[in-house]
Amino acid sequence: MFNNKNILITGGTGSFGKKFVSYLLSNYSPKKIIIYSRDELKQFEMQQHYDAGCMRYFIGDVRDKDRLITAIKDVDYVVHAAALKQVPAAEYNPNECIKTNINGAQNVIDACIVNNVSRVIALSTDKAANPVNLYGATKLASDKLFVAANNISGASGPRFSVVRYGNVVGSRGSVVPFYRKLLAEGRQALPVTHPEMTRFWITLDEGVKFVVDNFSRMQGGEIFVPKIPSIRIVDLVEAMSGKREFDIIGIRPGEKLHEVMVPEEMAHHSIEFDNHFVIAPAITFFDKNVDYFKNRLDESGNSVEDKFEYHSGKNPHFLSVDELRELDKITL
Ligand SMILES: NC(=O)c1ccc[n+]([C@@H]2O[C@H](COP(=O)([O-])OP(=O)(O)OC[C@H]3O[C@@H](n4cnc5c(N)ncnc54)[C@H](OP(=O)(O)O)[C@@H]3O)[C@@H](O)[C@H]2O)c1
């Protein structure tokens, strides 16, 4: 799928971007992989490890549509991973988060349409489902923009889809590196916001593979949600520290006790496949007749039940302390 193709990744120097590039370089022979992001130092450091002849490094901001239009010229596939994603920073600087996550999303869409890109996947988060913080709300708005973009791209224009998943184990700013740092500093009891807190859990490798597969599955307009396990934060504490001792510090502003990836209110649009769900668009695209029950990989899905909700606290699959311990070893 990616052989001899030009691929651009906004936010390509981030946790996802680097893993995605590794995957492409190990499994395909792309013509060009373009990294699009703002910070020259992160790009310089990435270049030390990723210096294959097909790599291109573009400094640019997703807030700058003209620059995006130039960068996306002749590109076949785009992954939109650039985002401001720290919940407290978004609460404190709301307009900055809106400019990057919402206006930036529309700029990416416009630049893809101008350049007649073939397929585009935007990364989303469980925090976009029934959002309670600004980060989640901006990602929900971005999801809506990408789904609706199929309406303005025309019958033969780009196809836009969204991939939504939960916490990525070990990504920048996430709980695993935070706990690891505290343990290295000799902290005895790790902080836990609430003893019942649960989260969806996905490794970066799984996230990358899911995005790659969805480039083959997508017809445009889907929000793809992988079936992934949940964890109890107190189990993570035990797996990482070796004891079930923690300090309860209280739920932080903008934080939920559990996360949701498919809200109950979207059940009537949601389709279950073997290893994922699809939330089909709530709007009909006037010039694209799409059957979301069958995808381009010929996989078939079924409607979920009326009150179905994909919820981290009600997930049938929880990782045990032992499984988390194994995962912790792998991601060290
Ligand atoms: N990590 C998770 O747990 C998780 C879970 C679910 C979904 N996601 C989603 O997955 C995506 C990627 O996450 P990640 O973990 O890879 O994030 P990350 O490590 O923080 O990387 C973010 C990337 O975006 C770039 N960026 C930020 N603002 C930009 C702008 N205005 N213009 C251009 N580039 C910009 C950053 O580089 P510069 O600062 O140099 O510009 C960096 O390359 C995000 O959309 C996030 O919402 C992440």
Side-chain angles (χ1 to χ4, degrees):
M1 161 130 221
F2 299 103
N3 287 335
N4 211 25
K5 299 287 185 195
N6 296 330
I7 304 128
L8 179 138
I9 307 135
T10 69
T13 54
S15 306
F16 175 90
K18 285 191 275 195
K19 221 13 157 208
F20 183 73
V21 169
S22 294
Y23 189 90
L24 290 184
L25 292 174
S26 316
N27 293 280
Y28 299 92
S29 303
K31 199 196 288 178
K32 249 193 284 177
I33 300 179
I34 304 165
I35 302 299
Y36 186 94
S37 63
R38 298 165 306 171
D39 175 24
E40 59 183 352
L41 180 61
K42 283 205 261 320
Q43 290 200 357
F44 173 76
E45 286 166 353
M46 186 168 175
Q47 276 179 56
Q48 311 305 304
H49 297 280
Y50 301 84
D51 60 353
C54 63
M55 296 299 301
R56 303 283 184 279
Y57 290 87
F58 278 42
I59 298 285
D61 194 317
V62 292
R63 299 180 188 187
D64 181 348
K65 183 155 73 179
D66 289 342
R67 179 67 176 148
L68 274 170
I69 289 174
T70 305
I72 291 178
K73 189 164 179 293
D74 294 332
V75 164
D76 300 287
Y77 303 121
V78 170
V79 180
H80 177 45
L84 291 181
K85 59 166 212 194
Q86 295 298 324
V87 170
E91 299 297 307
Y92 193 70
N93 309 278
N95 202 33
E96 296 308 305
C97 186
I98 289 167
K99 282 192 259 185
T100 294
N101 294 1
I102 302 181
N103 301 351
Q106 187 61 52
N107 289 338
V108 170
I109 291 165
D110 292 344
C112 289
I113 292 175
V114 167
N115 285 295
N116 205 23
V117 167
S118 170
R119 297 181 202 183
V120 183
I121 288 188
L123 299 190
S124 180
T125 158
D126 48 10
K127 293 182 175 55
N130 299 341
V132 296
N133 53 56
L134 186 82
Y135 166 57
T138 60
K139 294 297 276 190
L140 176 62
S142 166
D143 294 356
K144 299 279 183 198
L145 289 171
F146 276 96
V147 169
N150 291 282
N151 235 353
I152 46 175
S153 63
S156 58
R159 296 287 196 273
F160 297 92
S161 297
V162 171
V163 164
R164 174 184 290 175
Y165 53 62
N167 287 1
V168 175
V169 185
S171 64
R172 291 194 318 152
S174 67
V175 66
V176 170
F178 176 59
Y179 279 175
R180 202 166 283 142
K181 176 173 165 285
L182 293 180
L183 289 168
E185 288 166 2
R187 181 79 160 251
Q188 289 304 309
L190 291 173
V192 168
T193 54
H194 192 287
E196 283 164 32
M197 183 164 284
T198 64
R199 285 294 178 264
F200 286 111
W201 210 239
I202 188 167
T203 65
L204 208 40
D205 287 326
E206 290 164 342
V208 164
K209 183 72 175 51
F210 189 59
V211 170
V212 166
D213 291 346
N214 286 326
F215 268 104
S216 303
R217 286 193 178 105
M218 64 182 278
Q219 308 184 75
E222 305 94 332
I223 298 178
F224 290 102
V225 173
K227 288 186 184 172
I228 52 178
S230 287
I231 64 147
R232 294 179 188 84
I233 298 296
V234 292
D235 289 343
L236 180 68
V237 168
E238 185 173 343
M240 292 187 68
S241 69
K243 49 191 183 230
R244 217 171 174 80
E245 259 173 49
F246 38 83
D247 278 339
I248 298 296
I249 56 170
I251 291 193
R252 291 172 304 176
E255 195 175 48
K256 289 180 182 173
L257 198 50
H258 308 287
E259 296 284 3
V260 169
M261 286 211 277
V262 179
E264 189 182 319
E265 294 76 8
M266 295 306 287
H268 59 297
H269 285 290
S270 302
I271 304 167
E272 179 166 13
F273 290 77
D274 280 349
N275 74 347
H276 67 280
F277 298 96
V278 162
I279 304 177
I283 50 171
T284 313
F285 303 127
F286 65 93
D287 59 356
K288 291 189 180 108
N289 193 8
V290 183
D291 173 11
Y292 290 105
F293 286 87
K294 195 159 208 154
N295 62 33
R296 287 184 186 220
L297 288 179
D298 235 12
E299 298 163 330
S300 299
N302 295 302
S303 299
V304 300
E305 284 173 14
D306 255 5
K307 299 259 176 213
F308 175 80
E309 184 181 38
Y310 194 38
H311 179 287
S312 65
K314 300 180 200 158
N315 193 346
H317 183 191
F318 269 85
L319 292 179
S320 67
V321 173
D322 283 343
E323 285 171 318
L324 279 169
R325 215 170 269 139
E326 278 310 301
L327 206 54
D328 190 34
K329 273 190 227 144
I330 296 164
T331 55
L332 262 170

